[in-house]
Each structure stands twice: as C-alpha cells, then as structure tokens.
Amino acid sequence: MAAKNDQLADTKKRKRINTEPHKAPSKPKVTKFVPSKKPKPHSDDKEKKTIPLTGRERRINAKELADARKKKRRRHFTLEQDLARLWEKMRRHEIAKEDRSKLVTEALAKMKGKIHEIAGSHVTSRVLQTCVKHCSQAERDGVFEELRPHFLTLAYNAYAVHLVKKMLDSASKKQLAGFISSLRGHVAPLLRHMVGSVVVEHAYDLASAAQKQELLLELYSTELQLFKDLVSAKETRLLDIMSKLGLQKGAVSRHMSSVIQPILEKGIVDHSILHRVLLEYFSIADKSSVTDILQQLSSPLLVRMIGTKDGAKIGVLCLKYGSAKERKKIIKGLKEHVGKTAFHQYGCMVLVSIFSVVDDTKLITKVIIRELQSILKELILDKNGRRPLLQLLHPNCSRYFSPDELASMNSSIPSLSLKDQSEASSQTETSKVSVDENDSKEDIEVKMPEVNEDKTSEDVTDLAESGKKDPFVRRQELLINSGLAESLLDICIENVGELIRSNFGKEVIYELATGGFGGILHPTLDEKINSLHKAISYLAAVPKSEDSQEEHVFENFFSSRTIRKLILDCPDFASVLWEEALKGKTELWAHGHSCKIISAFLESSDLKVQKLAEKELQPLIDNGILKNPKSKEQATQ
C-alpha cells in the first residue's frame, strides 16, 4: 500500500514539471577578443617554418650521420696506422740520419693541417714528439706556427703537454716571448690545473728575468694583470712594486690568497713559480694568514717543495716558526726520503735547519740519523751530503756554508718576527749598563758580557732561531748519544786515505780530529779521536815511492793542507804525527810541496809542539833549506 502511494507521488511530480511553461535558452556570454601582443607572423617566417620529419626521413638522416662518423674514424685510424708504421722506423737507433729525416718529412706532410688534433692523441702525440726532435729547424717552425693558436688548449691535455714542453725547449727567443705573452691572464687558472701547471713551470724555468716577472705580476694583483707595463724590470720584489704604484697591502694580500689557496688545496706544490709567490706573500701577509699557510705546508707535502731554492727557504721557515707538532709532521714526512734530501743542493739545508732548531732529538735520531748512518761514507764525500754532518760538528761555519745559505738560514717572516723583535729590543734596553763619562774605553770593554763559545762560532753569529733546548746540549744528544759521531770516526779511520785526499772528506776528518767546535767530542770519544790521529800518522809514515800510483799524503793538494792545519790547531795530533812519521825524516820532506807541513811545527802557537821539532829543524833553517817563520813575523811587524 505504501509502495503504491510513493508511485503516485512520483507521477504527480513529473506531471508538475512537464506542465511548466517553456523558457527560452539563455544567450551565451560574449567575451571581448584581446589580440596577443606577439606580432603576426611574416610571410617569410611561414616559409621558414620547418616541416616535421617522418620516421623514415629521421632514420635516413641518422644513418647518413653514422656513416660520416665511421668514414672519419676510418680515415683517422688509417692515418694513425701510417704514422705508427713510420714511427717504428724513424725511432730506431741504427737508422741513418738521412733516412730518418725523409721519414720525418713524410710524417709531417701527412699530419699537416691536423697537427693540433694529433697532438692530443695518446698514440700520435708520440709520433709528433719524435718528429719535432729530429726534424729541421724550418719544419719545427712550421709545426710551432700551426700549433700557436692551440697552445692554451693543448696545455690542459695530458698527452699534448709533453709536445708543448718540447716545442718550448727548441723555441727561439721570439717564439718563447710570444708564448709567454699568450699566457697573460691564464697563469692562475693553469697553475690550478695538474697538467697546465707543468707548462707554466716549464715556461718559467726557460724565461728570462723580465719574462719571469711578467708571469708573476698577474698573480700579485688585478691591476698588474691588466696593466703589465706599469712596472719596470728593476722592481723585482713585491714590496718595491707596491711602494712604487701605491697599491694597498690588504687588496694585494686578498688577491694573492685567492690565487694561492686553491692551488694548495689541490696539492700542486712542486713548482718554483709557486714557491716564489709564497715567499712574496709571506712578506706582506698578516700573522693569521701566514700561520694558516705554514700549517698547511707543515706536512709530508713539504718534501715535494724543498727541491727548489725558494722551496727550501719555505721549508726552513716552516721549521723555524712551526710548533712542536708541526715540526714533528715535517720530520715524519721525510721518512725514507732523508738520503735523497741530504744529497740535494737545496734539500740538505732543510736537514741543517732541523739539526739547528728542533728540540725532539729522539725523533730526529729515529727518523733522520738512523737513515744517514747507512750512507755515511757517501755523505762525507759529497758536496751537499757533508753539510748536515758539518752543521753538527761546527754550526754555521762560513768555511762550509756560503753567505747565501747562511742568509736563508737567517730568513724571517715580518708579521711573525715583530713579537720577537720587540722582546729583543726590550731585553737590550734593560741590559744597558750606565757608564760614567769619566770611565775609560777599557773599563767599558770589561763590563761587556762574555760570549758563550759553545753556542756560536767566531765566524758567524747565531743564525737559526732554535727551540728551548740549549744548542750545545742538542748537539751532544744528536752527535754522541745517537752514536753518529762514533760511526763517523769509524768510517774515517777505515777510509782515511781516500777521505783525507778528497776535497770534501778532508773537512769532516779535520773537524773530527780536532774534537768538533767547542770540544764537543771530548772526553767521551778521546780514544777514537786518538785512533784517527794514529791512522793519519801511519798513512804519512809510508815511505815515498815514485812507482806508487797514489800521491803521498804529504804531497797531495788536499791532504797536505789538512795535515798542516791539524798541526797548527791540534797539538795532540802534531805530537802523534811527529813521533810516528816525521821524527828523524824531516830533511826528506823539507823540499818541495811538503815543506809547508814541516814548517807548521815552528809556526804552531803551542810551545810543546815547537820544542818537539826545534832541535831537528834548526839545522835545516841554518842551511837555508827551511825559512824561519819568526823572521817573517818580525818583517811584517
């Protein structure tokens, strides 16, 4: 019943809806047309409009491109094969010079127009290098001219860099100047690149002083990079350039820091141009900036820097101003490189600085001295290798170190030395003694403090800024406690003939025989020193023989002078030599070159030595065989 009622209600509703009057449909809203701001397309643009390619056309085009690439690769491969065939012939040692020049000419003809592409290939770049090595100067100039526009690109290529270096080696002055000018504005980016930095360094090594300055200037400031003609060749130091142009120290320091930091972060520290820039940076940078750089360098990284003159100076500065922790890193970084460093012209000065500055003698003994003890004989005979040993035996002696080397040991950083200078000046002011006007000059000299002979040499003042430990104590620990001095004496006793006749070995023998500066080897090694005296004396006692191939020690240029000096400076040696080799034989050696050794007994300042020889030598003086040294002194007075 309820369902029926619902159906009736629905039908009534439908009827009611249908019975409503019909309404007209509403008109759509007309929106006003706003033309776009874009201009109407030109008729030409319609013609230029590309018609999309069909799938078949795209496949045809891709095939044509692939075929073109294949042909190019095939041609390149064929060229590589031809060049490799020619290279195998031209690089043989037994080939005639004329035949090789023909092969080189043929190879260069095949490469013409493609040399810049060939230079970057790992295969053909070697062929080109061989051609450049053996070709004529005209052909080499032709290669240089073809490569000139591409040098900067090739400088970044790992294979082409070797060719670029060869081209610079054989370049004329004009060509080298042109290449260095082409580097303008690109020196800093190239130095940040592992391969490009090699090219800059090679150009820097070959460059003249003015050209080196040209390469350095753009690393100093942006003004100098833009206007290189502002500075003349006379101003070489950065401080002089800044004072002339009125450049601000802060701006220059910031620019140099932005150049140096990326290079150090990449570990590209082998090149001398960077070492020069670092030294100039140290002269103007503030304390915090310099300290940061020194901390970065005080690591095994420093081993790669000390192969250059400026790099060794940086190594000395790192040791001089570094903390104990940083010095420890440097010494540990030298492990297994000590021998190579000792024989190096500049690296040996870093070892000299370590012996003069570092207080941790146990670490030095463990890392450095243990490695040196295995090659002592070679070190004694070497010009550079003997210097670390002589620094321990006689520190900062001008006989063994040049003024330039002593100056590098005494180098300093202005921003880090200000504190030391203020402390030194305050100490000198407090130590001044008030002198009465009536006091004589002699009284003033008496009041002056005495110089500690154990610390400094008579020749040179204290050069290196050492640590807290007394220098004499440090030398004792490194020489005697480590066993180095005993090993040196053993080597010299065993090879006394070879060493005393050599130019460099004689110096080590002299220092050992005299007991070292300040008598550091006495009394611990007196027995060994006496054995060395006897070894030299036994060698001198060998009879003179004309058949012998080796010169007698009294007649050899180096050994005779060393023995004479030992007689004058070491009375103990003079006594042993007299008893073992000269007593009763002075007339034999009073003629010729060896007479200087005999007369040294009369010139000695020790009265005992004079008395030893006076009785036997007086007849020789009376007969005119020997000259009386006392008469010379009287004549000079």
Side-chain angles (χ1 to χ4, degrees), residues 459-506:
D459 301 324
V460 187
T461 57
D462 191 15
L463 295 177
E465 181 178 303
S466 60
K468 297 177 181 178
K469 191 174 287 187
D470 184 80
F472 191 81
V473 175
R474 186 190 296 111
R475 285 173 61 210
Q476 278 185 324
E477 291 176 357
L478 293 174
L479 267 174
I480 298 168
N481 298 358
S482 67
L484 177 62
E486 189 174 358
S487 300
L488 279 171
L489 283 163
D490 290 336
I491 293 290
C492 289
I493 291 167
E494 290 173 13
N495 306 277
V496 64
E498 181 183 357
L499 297 180
I500 202 169
R501 289 186 180 94
S502 67
N503 187 15
F504 306 119
K506 64 180 175 57

Side-chain angles (χ1 to χ4, degrees), residues 68-241:
R69 290 194 195 100
K70 283 180 183 178
K71 287 178 182 178
K72 188 177 179 181
R73 281 198 298 267
R74 201 176 294 117
R75 285 197 303 270
H76 188 69
F77 181 70
T78 307
L79 180 61
E80 280 187 358
Q81 282 185 323
D82 293 342
L83 293 175
R85 177 177 51 80
L86 293 170
W87 186 53
E88 287 297 330
K89 294 178 181 178
M90 73 173 72
R91 71 193 186 105
R92 292 175 184 171
H93 293 290
E94 63 273 11
I95 191 171
K97 191 175 180 180
E98 295 176 358
D99 296 337
R100 179 185 280 137
S101 62
K102 289 179 182 178
L103 293 169
V104 167
T105 305
E106 185 181 350
L108 289 174
K110 288 180 178 292
M111 290 186 281
K112 192 172 183 180
K114 311 182 189 83
I115 290 179
H116 66 282
E117 297 175 4
I118 287 167
S121 171
H122 70 287
V123 177
T124 52
S125 62
R126 295 187 179 185
V127 184
L128 190 52
Q129 289 174 51
T130 307
C131 291
V132 168
K133 182 180 178 181
H134 297 290
C135 68
S136 63
Q137 187 60 45
E139 291 172 329
R140 196 177 290 116
D141 291 341
V143 174
F144 191 94
E145 289 302 318
E146 190 170 338
L147 289 176
R148 185 194 291 274
H150 309 282
F151 270 135
L152 281 175
T153 307
L154 296 174
Y156 290 97
N157 188 285
Y159 303 109
V161 67
H162 305 292
L163 174 67
V164 175
K165 287 169 66 178
K166 276 189 180 297
M167 295 303 299
L168 292 178
D169 288 333
S170 59
S172 63
K173 289 183 179 180
K174 186 178 179 181
Q175 288 173 337
L176 181 62
F179 178 81
I180 290 173
S181 297
S182 70
L183 293 178
R184 186 180 172 187
H186 301 277
V187 177
L190 282 166
L191 283 175
R192 290 194 293 268
H193 195 272
M194 292 295 271
V195 177
S197 60
V198 176
V199 176
V200 176
E201 173 66 10
H202 200 70
Y204 184 77
D205 288 339
L206 297 172
S208 63
Q211 290 168 343
K212 284 182 179 180
Q213 187 183 10
E214 184 181 343
L215 291 171
L216 287 168
L217 284 178
E218 68 176 85
L219 302 175
Y220 293 158
S221 74
T222 50
E223 290 89 349
L224 294 172
Q225 181 179 349
L226 295 172
F227 309 105
K228 64 175 183 177
D229 297 329
L230 292 174
V231 183
S232 63
K234 294 180 181 179
E235 289 86 15
T236 55
R237 295 172 64 245
L238 178 58
L239 288 171
D240 297 336
I241 295 169

Side-chain angles (χ1 to χ4, degrees), residues 4-113:
K4 286 182 179 180
N5 291 334
D6 293 337
Q7 287 178 1
L8 288 170
D10 291 337
T11 54
K12 285 179 181 179
K13 285 179 181 179
R14 283 196 296 271
K15 286 179 182 179
R16 188 169 54 249
I17 292 168
N18 292 332
T19 55
E20 287 179 1
H22 179 71
K23 292 181 179 181
S26 59
K27 293 181 180 180
K29 293 181 179 180
V30 179
T31 56
K32 189 177 181 181
F33 174 73
V34 179
S36 62
K37 294 181 180 179
K38 293 181 181 179
K40 292 181 180 180
H42 197 267
S43 59
D44 294 341
D45 295 337
K46 288 181 181 178
E47 291 175 3
K48 289 179 182 178
K49 190 174 181 181
T50 56
I51 301 169
L53 298 173
T54 62
R56 183 170 177 275
E57 287 173 336
R58 282 197 298 271
R59 286 195 296 273
I60 291 170
N61 287 348
K63 188 178 179 182
E64 288 176 355
L65 288 171
D67 290 342
R69 290 194 195 100
K70 283 180 183 178
K71 287 178 182 178
K72 188 177 179 181
R73 281 198 298 267
R74 201 176 294 117
R75 285 197 303 270
H76 188 69
F77 181 70
T78 307
L79 180 61
E80 280 187 358
Q81 282 185 323
D82 293 342
L83 293 175
R85 177 177 51 80
L86 293 170
W87 186 53
E88 287 297 330
K89 294 178 181 178
M90 73 173 72
R91 71 193 186 105
R92 292 175 184 171
H93 293 290
E94 63 273 11
I95 191 171
K97 191 175 180 180
E98 295 176 358
D99 296 337
R100 179 185 280 137
S101 62
K102 289 179 182 178
L103 293 169
V104 167
T105 305
E106 185 181 350
L108 289 174
K110 288 180 178 292
M111 290 186 281
K112 192 172 183 180

Side-chain angles (χ1 to χ4, degrees), residues 435-447:
V435 182
D436 189 25
E437 293 179 359
N438 297 325
D439 290 344
S440 63
K441 186 178 179 181
E442 293 177 1
D443 295 333
I444 296 171
E445 289 176 355
V446 171
K447 293 177 184 178

Side-chain angles (χ1 to χ4, degrees), residues 323-510:
S323 63
K325 187 177 180 181
E326 289 162 0
R327 291 172 177 177
K328 190 174 182 179
K329 285 181 183 178
I330 294 170
I331 293 170
K332 285 189 173 180
L334 285 169
K335 195 173 183 180
E336 297 180 0
H337 300 281
V338 175
K340 187 178 178 181
T341 304
F343 288 115
H344 197 275
Q345 180 182 359
Y346 305 118
C348 66
M349 295 306 298
V350 176
L351 295 183
V352 169
S353 181
I354 288 172
F355 290 156
S356 306
V357 170
V358 181
D359 289 337
D360 193 349
T361 53
K362 288 186 178 179
L363 180 65
I364 296 173
T365 302
K366 184 180 177 182
V367 177
I368 295 176
I369 292 179
R370 288 288 172 266
E371 195 168 335
L372 293 180
Q373 281 180 325
S374 61
I375 52 171
L376 279 181
K377 184 182 175 182
E378 291 81 3
L379 289 171
I380 293 169
L381 291 168
D382 187 74
K383 178 183 177 181
N384 303 313
R386 72 199 164 97
R387 285 175 177 162
L389 306 175
L390 290 169
Q391 176 66 8
L392 291 173
L393 291 168
H394 196 152
N396 305 325
C397 180
S398 59
R399 290 200 305 270
Y400 310 132
F401 298 97
S402 67
D404 189 43
E405 289 165 346
L406 292 174
S408 70
M409 288 285 292
N410 197 29
S411 58
S412 60
I413 299 174
S415 60
L416 298 181
S417 299
L418 291 173
K419 184 180 177 183
D420 301 332
Q421 290 172 5
S422 61
E423 288 178 357
S425 61
S426 63
Q427 287 176 2
T428 52
E429 286 175 5
T430 54
S431 63
K432 284 181 181 178
V433 181
S434 60
V435 182
D436 189 25
E437 293 179 359
N438 297 325
D439 290 344
S440 63
K441 186 178 179 181
E442 293 177 1
D443 295 333
I444 296 171
E445 289 176 355
V446 171
K447 293 177 184 178
M448 291 295 290
E450 295 182 359
V451 178
N452 186 354
E453 292 183 355
D454 293 342
K455 286 189 178 182
T456 56
S457 168
E458 294 177 0
D459 301 324
V460 187
T461 57
D462 191 15
L463 295 177
E465 181 178 303
S466 60
K468 297 177 181 178
K469 191 174 287 187
D470 184 80
F472 191 81
V473 175
R474 186 190 296 111
R475 285 173 61 210
Q476 278 185 324
E477 291 176 357
L478 293 174
L479 267 174
I480 298 168
N481 298 358
S482 67
L484 177 62
E486 189 174 358
S487 300
L488 279 171
L489 283 163
D490 290 336
I491 293 290
C492 289
I493 291 167
E494 290 173 13
N495 306 277
V496 64
E498 181 183 357
L499 297 180
I500 202 169
R501 289 186 180 94
S502 67
N503 187 15
F504 306 119
K506 64 180 175 57
E507 296 170 347
V508 178
I509 283 187
Y510 169 80

